[in-house]
Amino acid sequence: MPPSSSKSSDKQDSPSAPTRPTWLRWLVRATLWMVGLATAAAVGLALTIAVALAVAYPNLPDISDLADYRPKLPLRVYSAEGALLGEFGEERRNLTPIGEIPKVMKDAVLAIEDARFFQHGGVDYKGVIRAALANLGRVKSQGASTITMQVARNVYLSSEKTFTRKIYEILLTFKLEHLLTKDQILEIYMNQIYLGNRAYGFAAASEAYFGKPLKSVSVAEAAMLAGLPKAPSAYNPISNPKRARSRQLYIIERMEENGFITAEQATDAKKEELKIRTGPDSTRIHAEYVAEMARQLIFTQYGNEAYTRGLNVYTTLNAAEQEAAYAALRRGIMDYERRQQYRGPEKFVVLPTAAQEVEDAIDDALANHPDNGDVLSAVVLEASPRKIVAARANGDTLEITGDGLKPAQSGLSDKAAPNIKIRRGAVIRVVKTPKNAWEITQLPEVEGALVALDPRTGAIRALVGGFDFDKNKFNHAAQAWRQPGSSFKPFIYSAALEKGFTPATVINDAPLFFDAGVTGGQPWEPKNYDGKYDGPMSMRTGLAKSKNMISIRILQAVGPKTAQEWVSRFGFDAEKHPAYLTMALGAGSVTPLQMATAYSVFANGGYRVNPWLITKVTDHKGRVISETAPPVTSEQPRAIDARNAFVMNSLLQEVTRSGTAARAQATLKRPDLYGKTGTTNDSVDAWFAGYQPTIAAVTWIGYDTPRNLGSRETGGGLSLPVWINFMERALKGVPVMEPTVPAGVVNVGGEWFYDEYARNSGIPSVGLDDRSASPAVAPQAPPPTEERNRILDLFRN
C-alpha cells in the first residue's frame, strides 16, 4: 500500500483528530445560506433601485432656470381705494440677494432647519440617522429634510406624501446640488418660503411682523422669523404669540449649540422684548372671488404674460362694502347653520398621555383642518353633556358650556352614533358669540352669494361668491344658475303695466285649477306659498304679499310669449325662461349677478347697464396701460320707460314697507328701499333682490346640489337679513333720496297711474268672474311633458 494511503488512514483513525458536532455543521451551513440570501437580496434591491432611479431621473423637471433665479413680478389686483385684493403669478415675492441677507438671519435658519447645510451633499445621512433614533426614542420629533430637499419639494413637487414623490425629491435634491452652489440654494429658499401673514421670503416677513427691513433684525427677531417655515399659522407671533415664543427660545438654544451665537448673546436674545406689528392689515380684504374674476379677465387679454409683467389691476370694488358683504353673508349662513342638525366632528385622532406628545398630535390634526375665518378648529380634550374642553392650534385651551353646547346636543348624548359622538380626540369647530363665550358649530354645507352694483353705471361695488373661496372656488354670484322664485315677479308686473294694468287693478286671489284637457296631461292646481287665498285685492297688495295666484292671472292676461320678450329687456336670456305660466313664479334660470343687473333697471329709471369690474391697468412702474371711464347712465340703452320704472319703484317700495320684506324699512329706518323676496318650490332657493337708488344688491342662499333648506326657511327669513346687514354699512351716511315723478304718470286718490289709464281706461279687474276654478284666461298652448312635470313639481305643497 502506498505510504500516502497509510498516512491518510492513520490520520483519520487517530483518536486525537477533532470531530465537529452535527449541529455545528448545520449551523455553519445555515449561516452561509443566510449570508448568501441576504447578499443576493441586497444586490437585487440595489439593482431594482438603480433601475428605478435610471427610469425616474430623465423625468425630473428642468431646473436650469434656477441657476439665474429671478422672481417674476406678479399680477396684483386692487380695490378702487388701492387696497390689495389678490396676487397672481408664478412667484409672489421680491428677490433679496443672498449677500443682502444678514448673517444672523441665515444662522437662525440653518440652526433650526439644516445645521450641516454646508457640509452635506443634499441629503444629510447623519441627520436622517439622528432623526430616526430621536423619533424611535419618543423624544421630541425631528425631521430629516435638508434645505435643498425643501427647495426641491416647494418649487417643483406636490405636497402629497407618497414613496414615489420622496424618490423624486431625493433625485431632484442631487440634481440641485450638482447645478447650483450652496449660496444659490440658500438664496432661493430664503426668498421662496411662505411665512404667513401674506409674506413670502424673510424680507417680506420682517416687514410684516416687525415693520423693519431684514438687514436690521436682531438675534431674537431672526429666531422668531426662523420658526415660521415649519407652520406659519401655528407659530405666527401675531395670532399665536405663546407658541411662537416657545419656538423662538428653542431656536436661540439651537443657535448657541451650533456656535452661531455666544452664551451671552443667547441670554440677551431670550430677554429681548419684541415689538410685533399687531395693527389691522389694511390690505387684508376678503375679495377672493373678485380677484379671481379680474385674473380671468386680464389673462384673456394678456395670456401668460399677465403673471410676469408686474401688472396692477384696479377694480370698481369698494373695500369697506366688500368687507361688509363678506361679513354679512357669513353671518347669515352661520345663523342658518345653527338651526341644522349636528353632523358630527370632522375627524377623530388618538391623543397620547404625555403633554408634549399631545401638543404635537394636536398640531398634526389641526394642520389638515385649518381655521376658516372666524370658524375656528379645535381638538377635544374632555367631553360631557355639560362641558367640552378643547385645545386650539395656538396652545390655548377653551371651555364650552351652557348655550354654547346646544348646537351639538345630539353629539353629546350617550346614545349618539359613533360618527357624531363628541369625545376626546374629536376635531370640532367653535365660534365666539356676541357675549364673548364659545359656541360649538360646524362648517356649513349650504352656500350663498351677495353682489352689489352701482345701478347708475353697472360698476361692481361688492361681490362674494360663496361662504369661503378656499373651501369652494365656484363663484355662485356669477356662475350659479338658479330659479329666482318670487323675486322674478316684478318683471312680469312691469310687462303688465304696458298692457293696461295699474297698481289699483283688482285681481282675484282665488284657487286655480287646470284640468287634463288644458294641460294635455295630468291636471294640476297651483297654490299660494302659505296655502291661503284672500280673494280680490289690488295688484299692489298682490305683489307686497307675493301672491302666486295674482302673478299667474297677470301672466295669463299679458301672455307668456309677450312676457318672455319683455324680460329679455332686463338682460335675461329668453331661452332660460320658457313661455309658460310657470314663468309667473320664477321657474326660469338666473344668476345673482344677472338679477342685480336687472333690478338696476328699476333703480336707475329704466336704463340697461352692463356690470363691469376693471377701471385701470398699470405696469410695475405705475404707467397706465388701459383705463375705462364710468359710463353715463343717460347714454345707456333704455330698457323700459321712465314711468314704468317709477311705478314699479312704488310697488317694490310697498314690499319693503308692508309686505314680505317689511323688516327692511323697519330695521334701516329709511323709506328709499325697494325689493322683493323669493323662495322657490320646496324652499330650495332663498332670495332677496333690492336696491336704493345708489346701490342695487342681491343675496341668494341654497345648496350646490339643490335640496330643501327647511320647511320654514324663506327668502325673507334667510336672505333678507343678509341684505339688511350689508345695506346698513353701504348706506351709512347716504342721504335719503326722494324719487322724481317722470312725465306720463299722475297720482289719483293716492295711487299712481299712467296718464292714459288714470280715468278707468286700463284693466279694472282680473279673475273676478270665476265661477269654477278654471282660469280666467286659458294658457297659450299645453306645455310639453317635461315642462308639465316641472309645473306639477312647482305647485306641490
Side-chain angles (χ1 to χ4, degrees), residues 256-312:
E256 182 185 356
E257 289 173 10
N258 285 279
F260 294 133
I261 58 175
T262 65
E264 185 180 356
Q265 287 177 306
T267 301
D268 292 341
K270 290 177 180 179
K271 292 179 181 178
E272 183 178 337
E273 196 169 319
L274 302 186
K275 295 180 180 179
I276 307 294
R277 294 182 67 177
T278 56
D281 184 357
S282 61
T283 66
R284 184 55 175 160
I285 306 297
H286 288 284
E288 295 85 354
Y289 292 97
V290 175
E292 174 60 16
M293 290 173 68
R295 183 200 68 78
Q296 292 178 17
L297 290 170
I298 295 299
F299 179 77
T300 300
Q301 185 172 359
Y302 294 97
N304 287 327
E305 284 190 1
Y307 308 133
T308 61
R309 291 181 55 179
L311 298 178
N312 299 305

Side-chain angles (χ1 to χ4, degrees), residues 61 70 80 140 149 159 167 258 446 525 559 587 670 680-681 695 733:
R70 293 182 181 180
K140 185 177 180 67
M149 293 170 73
S159 59
I167 291 294
N258 285 279
V446 76
E525 185 178 6
R670 55 189 302 155
T680 61
N681 187 58
I695 187 168

Side-chain angles (χ1 to χ4, degrees), residues 114 117 120-124 146-149 173-174 177 182:
D114 191 356
F117 174 69
H120 62 66
V123 177
D124 186 1
T146 65
I147 283 178
T148 312
M149 293 170 73
T173 296
F174 291 143
E177 289 277 347
K182 287 288 187 178

Side-chain angles (χ1 to χ4, degrees), residues 66 147-156 176 185 188-189:
L66 285 183
I147 283 178
T148 312
M149 293 170 73
Q150 292 183 57
V151 170
R153 180 168 62 246
N154 294 336
V155 177
Y156 291 106
L176 284 170
I185 294 171
I188 294 169
Y189 176 81

Side-chain angles (χ1 to χ4, degrees), residues 89-377:
E90 296 175 12
E91 296 159 2
R92 292 179 285 178
R93 57 199 59 79
N94 295 318
L95 176 62
T96 304
I98 191 67
E100 296 178 16
I101 299 175
K103 183 177 183 299
V104 66
M105 189 69 252
K106 290 184 284 188
D107 288 345
V109 169
L110 293 174
I112 189 62
E113 294 293 335
D114 191 356
R116 299 185 66 255
F117 174 69
F118 285 100
Q119 282 76 52
H120 62 66
V123 177
D124 186 1
Y125 301 105
K126 290 183 179 180
V128 171
I129 296 172
R130 184 177 61 252
L133 292 175
N135 295 338
L136 286 174
R138 303 185 68 81
V139 297
K140 185 177 180 67
S141 177
Q142 295 187 19
S145 287
T146 65
I147 283 178
T148 312
M149 293 170 73
Q150 292 183 57
V151 170
R153 180 168 62 246
N154 294 336
V155 177
Y156 291 106
L157 302 175
S158 68
S159 59
E160 61 177 341
K161 296 181 179 180
T162 64
F163 180 75
T164 302
R165 189 201 62 80
K166 195 67 179 177
I167 291 294
Y168 273 96
E169 180 182 314
I170 294 173
L171 288 175
L172 199 53
T173 296
F174 291 143
K175 196 170 183 179
L176 284 170
E177 289 277 347
H178 176 72
L179 178 70
L180 307 176
T181 66
K182 287 288 187 178
D183 276 348
Q184 285 177 309
I185 294 171
L186 187 59
E187 179 181 285
I188 294 169
Y189 176 81
M190 299 193 74
N191 282 280
Q192 185 82 14
I193 196 74
Y194 175 63
L195 300 171
N197 208 35
R198 303 180 65 84
Y200 289 82
F202 287 93
S206 179
E207 292 285 355
Y209 294 110
F210 303 124
K212 64 195 303 186
L214 184 62
K215 64 182 180 181
S216 302
V217 296
S218 64
V219 172
E221 290 167 335
M224 182 70 78
L225 294 177
L228 291 165
K230 179 181 179 182
S233 176
Y235 299 113
N236 186 316
I238 295 176
S239 57
N240 299 323
K242 182 179 177 182
R243 184 162 292 181
R245 170 66 172 165
S246 175
R247 184 155 176 80
Q248 177 211 28
L249 294 176
Y250 175 67
I251 292 173
I252 292 173
E253 291 173 0
R254 293 280 297 163
M255 293 177 74
E256 182 185 356
E257 289 173 10
N258 285 279
F260 294 133
I261 58 175
T262 65
E264 185 180 356
Q265 287 177 306
T267 301
D268 292 341
K270 290 177 180 179
K271 292 179 181 178
E272 183 178 337
E273 196 169 319
L274 302 186
K275 295 180 180 179
I276 307 294
R277 294 182 67 177
T278 56
D281 184 357
S282 61
T283 66
R284 184 55 175 160
I285 306 297
H286 288 284
E288 295 85 354
Y289 292 97
V290 175
E292 174 60 16
M293 290 173 68
R295 183 200 68 78
Q296 292 178 17
L297 290 170
I298 295 299
F299 179 77
T300 300
Q301 185 172 359
Y302 294 97
N304 287 327
E305 284 190 1
Y307 308 133
T308 61
R309 291 181 55 179
L311 298 178
N312 299 305
V313 181
Y314 294 87
T315 68
T316 57
L317 214 69
N318 180 287
E321 291 175 11
Q322 177 64 26
E323 281 297 278
Y326 172 81
L329 182 63
R330 284 182 68 94
R331 176 180 171 183
I333 289 178
M334 291 308 297
D335 284 346
Y336 169 79
E337 195 59 46
R338 287 187 183 91
R339 302 191 290 272
Q340 306 312 301
Q341 184 175 357
Y342 188 61
R343 295 184 292 275
E346 295 180 14
K347 184 181 180 181
F348 296 95
V349 296
V350 177
L351 295 181
T353 54
Q356 183 58 54
E357 294 176 9
V358 168
E359 185 175 302
D360 291 342
I362 290 172
D363 284 347
D364 293 341
L366 298 184
N368 295 322
H369 297 266
D371 294 342
N372 188 296
D374 54 353
V375 183
L376 311 179
S377 58

Side-chain angles (χ1 to χ4, degrees), residues 323-340 374-375 431 439 441-450 464 466-467 663 686 699-703 709 713-726:
E323 281 297 278
Y326 172 81
L329 182 63
R330 284 182 68 94
R331 176 180 171 183
I333 289 178
M334 291 308 297
D335 284 346
Y336 169 79
E337 195 59 46
R338 287 187 183 91
R339 302 191 290 272
Q340 306 312 301
D374 54 353
V375 183
V431 293
E439 179 182 80
T441 187
Q442 55 192 345
L443 282 177
E445 292 181 344
V446 76
E447 276 293 354
L450 192 160
V464 185
F467 179 78
R663 190 193 305 187
T699 56
W700 164 84
I701 291 177
Y703 288 98
L709 288 163
E713 305 294 352
T714 65
L718 266 180
S719 290
L720 177 59
V722 175
W723 188 88
I724 291 173
N725 287 338
F726 167 71

